[in-house]
Amino acid sequence: MKQTLTTLTCLFYFFLATFCQNHNEANIGEIHGNFETTNQYYNPDTAIGAPNVPEKLLSSSFANILYSRGNFNAGVRLESYLNVLQGIDPSYNDVGIPYRFVTYTMDNLNVTAGNFYEQFGSGMILRSYEARQLGIDNAIEGTRVKLNPIKGIYLTGLIGKQRLFFDRGPGIIRGLDGTISINELHPRLDSITTKISVGGSFVSRYQKDDDPTYNLPENVGAYSARLNLNHAGFSFTGEYAYKINDPNSSNNFIYKPGQGALFSMGYSQKGIGVSVSGKMIDNMDFRSDRTATLNNLTIGYLPALSKQHTYNLAATLYPYGTQPNGEMGIQADLVYTIKKKSKIGGKYGTLISVNYSRIQSLDKTYYSDASDPDSTRMGYTTNYFKVGDEVYFEDFNIDITRKLNKKLKVKAAYFNFIYNMEVIQGLGGKGTVYANIVVLDVLYKLQPKHAIRVEAQHMRTEQDQGSWMTGLAEYTFSPHWFIAVMDQYNYGNKDEGKRLHYPIGSFGYTKGANRFMISYGRQRAGIFCVGGVCRNVPASNGVTLTITSSF
Amino acid sequence: MKHLIIISISFCLLSLNSISQGSIPAVDVKTMDNQSFNTGEISNDGKPIIISFWATWCSPCKRELNNIADLYDDWVDETGVKLIAVSIDDSRNASKVAPYVNGQAWDYDVLVDSNFDFKRAMNVNNVPHTFLIDGNGKIIWQHNSYSEGDEYELYELVKKVANGEEIRH
């Protein structure tokens, strides 16, 4: 055993020495990577509901290593969860290399073997992606071929299984996608200011039917068609998707087909931008395992049609999450800059942004004739010309940013939320939350590289945990240092014993692409979202050390 | 044996570091008007390029790009630098990118990297993350996060690159 180890070590050393030597001389390619480690020491804190963590210290880390030489690329990701941080699925419980790939590009052909991420159109019927902070990684493992036969035509074909923690899901995904960019087809078309592209996708999942009760489709197909149009400052993008019957855990094993439609229209020119978008989703939960739940093995991605907020109280208490089994929604967004040096705009101009979104249920009629099991297994019918009565979510928000002088910048924001907890979080009996939030954000530059930023936030609500206040002060010294303190206070909780403070302090150092951050204090339980997908983070109390690096 | 390996690894990493001037990887992304664009085509006639990863939901990113926007005309006049703002907004927010960019009256080139292919290829952990590329298309400097005033350090480096000076890490 020892001998083998020594031999291996010698070989490794030899490889390393040769590699390093060659690296400086010939074109042996480039190696790059990035690294992140998050380590948290947990104190039990019964007052805020922070559980006792038996390991005391939890640690999640990963490192990507990419190698490229000419048209050849290869990469691996090492991941380590010892054990995984609270709030991320504990099925991440190992150390390993769950991501590795090789890619080769030759003229108009690109081939990938191994793990890869891919998105067809807006992603409604296929999007494999990673959101590491949420513990989401549904990379496909298999083969992908991209072909660009003539200018303006892009084709992608893929086959594979999806990642599930340190394993793979049971279903096989087959996908085809094509995009035609009309303007690229001919040099004459290229000069036209109207840009048009059309696309279509087909995705099919195979999963064996071993259900004792139902006769389930083993091959479930989904297709979509899309159109993009741009002319001067106008833009339109729309996509329609259809999925054949796919009885699954999410839709309660009904045999109804699924449908989805998304559109977005916008107009913008210097100083003003507006957009209006709409969406309808009906029974579109599509996964590579029909019994999968949570964020696991999703093939399709159904984006939430609402603004993604950044201020603590607006972002983490009541954020919307898409209801894959049915919803209809609209959103409107305006960004406007009042001109510099004008009476209202002031010396530096004033930025106003307004956003509104509202999401309601579908108008569904359920089959209820128990004597006819065939129809009840279809679930329901949908009237697409009518919006359902139940309000899931509404958000009206406005913010105004103004630079008063060289040193002072002020931002004020207002939010009004309607949040149906029963539907969005699946918490029966919790009802709907009505909340108003105001935020004042002031940035003062002491010197060109020294700045203090202060945030004061207030949320008023009668429901759920009642009203909150948040105060934050942040001092930055460019380019290396920052220090911040924040306190959240649930002063309006009906339960007086829960009127608690959540103080936390953070300190960070950045040099180039290396970043160190340490924080100590209480973290409130909340919903942490990235790109519209969320996870519940439990309350915690302790020290967190994060290091990120890229090279 | 163990020590030998540690020494050689350190040596290897050091030698890698000294030549870590990578080139821009070639990845397909979209322009704001939804046309395909390959990042291998990024160029600026031998003048410096700044690549800044951002998102419509990222406050420090927007602060960075807004602060640079106030100075950008001067930067371009003095050094010929070009800033490419790469949005990592996914399909939830991608349609808000153009209205936001124009609403702010930014003069940057903007690319949309909705499924993070370019972000991954550039080894970006989180946004904001800013790169400086020299006239030969080599990445010579990068910085993660943004603090008020970081743009001054960046511009000092841009000027050096424009004058053909070496940048020390």
Side-chain angles (χ1 to χ4, degrees):
Chain A
M1 180 67 199
K2 206 176 171 193
Q3 211 179 356
T4 328
L5 210 66
T6 319
T7 320
L8 277 175
T9 322
C10 283
L11 272 173
F12 176 68
Y13 174 66
F14 176 73
F15 164 75
L16 207 63
T18 325
F19 174 77
C20 289
Q21 215 175 7
N22 285 346
H23 206 103
N24 288 333
E25 291 166 2
N27 173 24
I28 195 163
E30 292 178 13
I31 292 189
H32 295 283
N34 60 316
F35 166 75
E36 180 171 312
T37 179
T38 310
N39 305 275
Q40 188 165 3
Y41 181 86
Y42 294 86
N43 295 320
D45 187 341
T46 44
I48 60 168
N52 181 33
V53 176
E55 302 95 329
K56 304 273 185 213
L57 178 86
L58 298 175
S59 169
S60 301
S61 313
F62 67 84
N64 284 300
I65 310 289
L66 294 181
Y67 171 75
S68 62
R69 185 187 174 190
N71 293 326
F72 177 81
N73 286 282
V76 291
R77 189 190 312 112
L78 295 86
E79 294 180 24
S80 128
Y81 305 94
L82 297 166
N83 282 329
V84 74
L85 299 176
Q86 292 267 299
I88 298 187
D89 199 312
S91 305
Y92 284 107
N93 57 0
D94 207 344
V95 177
I97 306 181
Y99 174 80
R100 59 264 179 200
F101 74 92
V102 288
T103 298
Y104 190 78
T105 310
M106 184 75 178
D107 299 329
N108 51 6
L109 180 74
N110 171 288
V111 180
T112 303
N115 301 87
F116 54 87
Y117 299 98
E118 180 61 58
Q119 177 174 326
F120 289 170
S122 64
M124 258 198 295
I125 63 166
L126 187 128
R127 184 185 187 213
S128 71
Y129 71 111
E130 52 171 341
R132 309 231 71 81
Q133 304 94 319
L134 302 179
I136 292 177
D137 185 349
N138 61 1
I140 298 173
E141 183 162 7
T143 312
R144 176 182 63 186
V145 176
K146 289 190 170 199
L147 185 67
N148 182 198
I150 58 164
K151 210 170 169 344
I153 295 185
Y154 303 88
L155 304 170
T156 303
L158 61 86
I159 185 159
K161 286 185 164 190
Q162 275 180 307
R163 174 179 178 187
L164 180 66
F165 308 112
F166 281 91
D167 206 347
R168 282 180 289 266
I172 303 173
I173 302 170
R174 289 76 51 100
L176 274 175
D177 181 76
T179 303
I180 304 171
S181 176
I182 308 280
N183 304 75
E184 289 178 50
L185 289 175
H186 195 275
R188 266 194 202 162
L189 295 167
D190 203 24
S191 54
I192 300 174
T193 50
T194 309
K195 308 276 181 208
I196 302 171
S197 70
V198 291
S201 323
F202 176 74
V203 176
S204 150
R205 174 206 74 208
Y206 171 79
Q207 185 184 8
K208 197 167 182 282
D209 171 25
D210 42 22
D211 192 284
T213 332
Y214 302 126
N215 181 14
L216 301 172
E218 293 192 323
N219 289 293
V220 171
Y223 58 81
S224 70
R226 59 183 184 269
L227 168 71
N228 287 304
L229 245 164
N230 281 78
H231 179 76
F234 290 96
S235 71
F236 172 86
T237 152
E239 182 161 9
Y240 168 79
Y242 181 90
K243 182 179 66 140
I244 71 155
N245 69 88
D246 174 25
N248 58 50
S249 297
S250 169
N251 68 13
N252 211 9
F253 286 90
I254 58 167
Y255 284 76
K256 182 182 162 64
Q259 290 189 84
L262 288 172
F263 82 89
S264 176
M265 280 187 295
Y267 173 75
S268 60
Q269 63 173 55
K270 228 172 190 179
I272 184 165
V274 284
S275 68
V276 178
S277 36
K279 115 169 157 171
M280 188 283 296
I281 296 292
D282 186 9
N283 190 19
M284 278 302 280
D285 202 303
F286 191 25
R287 301 177 191 244
S288 61
D289 177 358
R290 59 173 84 85
T291 61
T293 53
L294 305 169
N295 290 324
N296 300 337
L297 295 172
T298 53
I299 304 176
Y301 172 76
L302 307 169
L305 197 74
S306 62
K307 187 169 178 174
Q308 196 166 338
H309 296 302
T310 51
Y311 288 110
N312 169 279
L313 291 178
T316 59
L317 276 164
Y318 305 117
Y320 187 64
T322 297
Q323 299 306 304
N325 289 323
E327 62 173 30
M328 260 192 204
I330 51 153
Q331 176 174 222
D333 198 76
L334 165 78
V335 181
Y336 180 65
T337 304
I338 305 174
K339 271 196 179 133
K340 277 180 198 177
K341 291 169 190 153
S342 66
K343 209 172 180 184
I344 309 168
K347 187 179 172 190
Y348 299 92
T350 302
L351 178 78
I352 299 175
S353 52
V354 187
N355 173 275
Y356 173 79
S357 61
R358 186 179 172 99
I359 294 136
Q360 291 186 211
S361 59
L362 287 181
D363 186 34
K364 293 180 178 178
T365 309
Y366 285 86
Y367 292 107
S368 54
D369 185 358
S371 63
D372 180 8
D374 281 352
S375 71
T376 49
R377 294 287 354 131
M378 285 300 291
Y380 58 88
T381 54
T382 310
N383 177 3
Y384 295 113
F385 298 100
K386 194 170 169 278
V387 183
D389 294 330
E390 195 175 5
V391 178
Y392 289 169
F393 182 78
E394 188 181 66
D395 173 7
F396 170 77
N397 57 80
I398 175 164
D399 63 64
I400 298 170
T401 312
R402 182 157 174 159
K403 192 169 163 182
L404 298 174
N405 56 47
K406 270 191 166 170
K407 295 194 158 185
L408 192 63
K409 199 172 182 180
V410 180
K411 183 171 176 179
Y414 167 76
F415 307 80
N416 180 290
F417 285 112
I418 298 175
Y419 182 85
N420 189 328
M421 271 187 113
E422 231 161 281
V423 171
I424 303 167
Q425 293 188 25
L427 300 169
K430 278 277 194 177
T432 294
V433 175
Y434 300 86
N436 284 291
I437 301 174
V438 284
V439 176
L440 188 68
D441 180 337
V442 180
L443 184 121
Y444 184 72
K445 278 184 127 173
L446 299 160
Q447 289 173 30
K449 292 186 176 185
H450 292 252
I452 288 183
R453 198 172 67 84
V454 179
E455 273 178 25
Q457 304 181 30
H458 181 246
M459 170 189 273
R460 189 177 153 70
T461 178
E462 297 292 323
Q463 293 81 28
D464 194 31
Q465 304 170 79
S467 301
W468 286 84
M469 282 195 281
T470 292
L472 175 139
E474 183 183 83
Y475 178 81
T476 53
F477 174 17
S478 166
H480 299 307
W481 305 95
F482 93 87
I483 184 161
V485 285
M486 180 170 85
D487 184 37
Q488 297 169 81
Y489 179 31
N490 190 193
Y491 77 96
N493 204 311
K494 287 196 184 82
D495 178 348
E496 285 191 24
K498 287 187 176 169
R499 290 179 186 170
L500 297 168
H501 284 274
Y502 292 75
I504 189 162
S506 312
F507 172 76
Y509 173 78
T510 307
K511 186 167 192 307
N514 297 336
R515 189 157 191 264
F516 304 82
M517 193 173 104
I518 188 156
S519 62
Y520 176 69
R522 275 178 168 173
Q523 285 172 33
R524 169 171 56 73
I527 304 167
F528 181 65
C529 302
V530 173
V533 180
C534 306
R535 74 175 161 102
N536 280 298
V537 180
S540 69
N541 179 337
V543 187
T544 309
L545 170 72
T546 309
I547 304 171
T548 59
S549 174
S550 303
F551 68 90
Chain B
M1 190 70 216
K2 231 181 208 172
H3 293 288
L4 207 61
I5 290 178
I6 291 169
I7 292 166
S8 54
I9 287 178
S10 324
F11 172 73
C12 187
L13 286 176
L14 275 175
S15 68
L16 276 177
N17 192 33
S18 64
I19 50 120
S20 72
Q21 304 187 338
S23 36
I24 304 169
V27 171
D28 287 326
V29 292
K30 291 266 160 59
T31 59
M32 276 202 296
D33 52 6
N34 240 309
Q35 301 289 298
S36 292
F37 181 83
N38 190 286
T39 55
E41 291 167 28
I42 290 175
S43 71
N44 189 25
D45 297 330
K47 292 184 181 122
I49 301 169
I50 299 166
I51 295 181
S52 183
F53 283 83
W54 71 290
T56 58
W57 44 262
C58 165
S59 303
C61 304
K62 293 191 281 189
R63 269 203 296 278
E64 174 175 26
L65 291 170
N66 278 323
N67 285 342
I68 295 177
D70 288 344
L71 312 165
Y72 192 56
D73 286 347
D74 292 339
W75 287 17
V76 174
D77 287 347
E78 290 165 19
T79 62
V81 69
K82 173 155 93 177
L83 192 148
I84 299 170
V86 182
S87 149
I88 57 158
D89 283 285
D90 67 12
S91 54
R92 175 182 187 182
N93 297 313
S95 64
K96 293 198 189 97
V97 172
Y100 185 83
V101 167
N102 289 323
Q104 295 273 26
W106 286 351
D107 281 327
Y108 309 137
D109 288 14
V110 178
L111 298 174
V112 184
D113 182 29
S114 276
N115 210 31
F116 323 137
D117 294 324
F118 192 40
K119 173 177 177 261
R120 237 186 320 272
M122 294 285 278
N123 292 110
V124 171
N125 278 313
N126 43 42
V127 285
H129 195 119
T130 303
F131 294 87
L132 178 59
I133 286 96
D134 72 8
N136 301 318
K138 295 288 172 202
I139 300 165
I140 49 164
W141 179 86
Q142 52 178 310
H143 187 86
N144 177 230
S145 82
Y146 175 73
S147 296
E148 206 67 33
D150 279 358
E151 63 274 19
Y152 303 118
E153 189 201 11
L154 174 62
Y155 190 52
E156 288 306 312
L157 296 167
V158 170
K159 281 195 283 193
K160 281 187 180 171
V161 173
N163 292 331
E165 290 173 42
E166 283 267 314
I167 287 186
R168 288 171 57 153
H169 290 275

